[in-house]
């Protein structure tokens, strides 16, 4: 279903992250990002590539390509953003604060620098990580990513209106 639970990676026939025991969650302050069974997919060794999903998707979006990055010499990591898939919600809006969660996630995994590939919502989160933590991002690829406001207040009036309609 994408948000707040969803099907486990094991149930979907996708291999969970082999580096962490089943059910492990990486603590990030008062919440956790799931690190296996759909909440985090990881494979390979080498320079880190973080794959950020669209909303309301999950890391399952990248299940087929995590191993492909690994075979090409990268450590590929696809987390569920907070409140999506098997990651706990942290009470923060993913567009406004998803970048903070990703930086905490990188810290928890001991990753100083990473390339970020983000689709839609993930592209916006990745762009915000790059804008606020340029020293942590080696490359940024945004696939249909939402933009970020660098010179004007955020969120924009249009986003505020959209959120008020959805909520």
């Amino acid at each position: 279903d994408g948000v707040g639970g969803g099907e486990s990676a094991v149930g979907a026939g996708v291999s969970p992250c082999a580096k962490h025991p089943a059910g492990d969650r990486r603590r990030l302050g008062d919440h956790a990002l799931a690190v296996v069974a759909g909440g985090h997919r990881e494979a390979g060794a080498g320079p880190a590539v973080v794959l950020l999903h669209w909303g309301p998707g999950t890391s399952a979006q990248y299940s087929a390509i995590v191993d492909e990055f690994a075979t090409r010499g990268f450590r590929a990591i696809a987390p569920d953003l907070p409140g999506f898939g098997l990651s706990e919600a942290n009470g923060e809006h993913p567009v406004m604060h998803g970048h903070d969660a990703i930086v905490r996630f990188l810290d928890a995994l001991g990753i100083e620098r990473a390339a970020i590939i983000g689709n839609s919502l993930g592209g916006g989160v990745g762009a915000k990580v790059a804008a606020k933590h340029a020293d942590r991002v080696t490359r940024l690829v945004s696939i249909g990513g939402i933009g970020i406001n660098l010179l004007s207040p955020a969120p924009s009036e249009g986003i505020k209106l959209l959120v008020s309609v959805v909520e």
Side-chain angles (χ1 to χ4, degrees), residues 25-91:
R25 289 182 182 263
R26 192 63 47 140
R27 293 305 307 175
L28 302 171
D30 294 334
H31 66 281
L33 291 185
V35 292
V36 297
H40 166 131
R41 290 165 167 74
E42 181 174 350
V49 177
V50 176
L51 303 152
L52 301 177
H53 63 80
W54 64 286
T58 70
S59 60
Q61 171 186 358
Y62 295 111
S63 61
I65 62 172
V66 167
D67 289 337
E68 183 63 31
F69 274 100
T71 64
R72 295 174 185 262
F74 294 97
R75 179 181 178 188
I77 305 154
D80 282 339
L81 292 169
F84 293 86
L86 296 181
S87 288
E88 294 175 3
N90 63 5

Side-chain angles (χ1 to χ4, degrees), residues 52-153:
L52 301 177
H53 63 80
W54 64 286
T58 70
S59 60
Q61 171 186 358
Y62 295 111
S63 61
I65 62 172
V66 167
D67 289 337
E68 183 63 31
F69 274 100
T71 64
R72 295 174 185 262
F74 294 97
R75 179 181 178 188
I77 305 154
D80 282 339
L81 292 169
F84 293 86
L86 296 181
S87 288
E88 294 175 3
N90 63 5
E92 298 174 334
H93 192 283
V95 173
M96 304 312 306
H97 300 283
H99 66 287
D100 294 328
I102 294 304
V103 170
R104 291 188 302 263
F105 184 69
L106 293 174
D107 291 344
L109 293 179
I111 297 170
E112 288 296 318
R113 296 171 45 105
I116 296 178
I117 300 172
N119 181 26
S120 187
L121 168 65
V125 170
K128 211 160 190 183
V129 172
K132 293 186 176 278
H133 303 277
D135 58 319
R136 305 286 305 266
V137 179
T138 59
R139 303 276 191 279
L140 173 65
V141 177
S142 181
I143 306 164
I146 58 176
I148 60 171
N149 294 327
L150 294 176
L151 303 174
S152 61

